[in-house]
Amino acid sequence: MRKLEHLFVTLNATAVILCLIAMSGIVFANVSLRGLTNHSIPWADEVARYLMIWMTFLGAGLVLRQGGHVAITNLQDALPGRAQIALRAALVLLLLGFFLFMAWVGRDYMLRMQFQRTPATRIPFSYVYAAMPVGFGLLIVHLLLVARGFVCAGRYRSDEGAPAHG
């Protein structure tokens, strides 16, 4: 199971890195062409924006694994041991419910946008908005993979599987 989780995290991180490389390359090429030839690539800004959207949603689960999202722990730190566990369990359930709801809303929004096309590339907007249900689906998987360690010990798992304090 740990190898499967490691593969999942590696594939997710690779997708984020590929989005970053593509976005950086497109922006660099467009700025260079604009500076050198006074012409720019008509679709570059649009594609870079959509890659950033995808990169953000794909990377959110990886950040969750590291405990990198904003957290206020004053209440948790003030509670005794069992109450901390109960609070963390409630947080996991709340997050899971929110992620499921947002994946459903994102899917609905994606389906509504299937007939509109992007201005420069003329691809259906549903491809752009698919980032939302995919990203929240990944958040659900990442949350479920780290939930036990977080609830029981208040720790997140790093990419290598070693615990990292949140």
Side-chain angles (χ1 to χ4, degrees), residues 17-40:
I17 291 167
L18 289 175
C19 285
L20 180 62
I21 290 169
M23 183 181 69
S24 301
I26 290 168
V27 169
F28 178 78
N30 195 36
V31 169
S32 298
L33 282 173
R34 199 177 303 149
L36 296 172
T37 66
N38 246 4
H39 293 90
S40 62

Side-chain angles (χ1 to χ4, degrees), residues 1-19:
M1 181 68 175
R2 194 177 290 281
K3 285 183 181 184
L4 189 60
E5 180 180 354
H6 183 72
L7 177 64
F8 171 71
V9 171
T10 302
L11 290 173
N12 193 174
T14 301
V16 172
I17 291 167
L18 289 175
C19 285

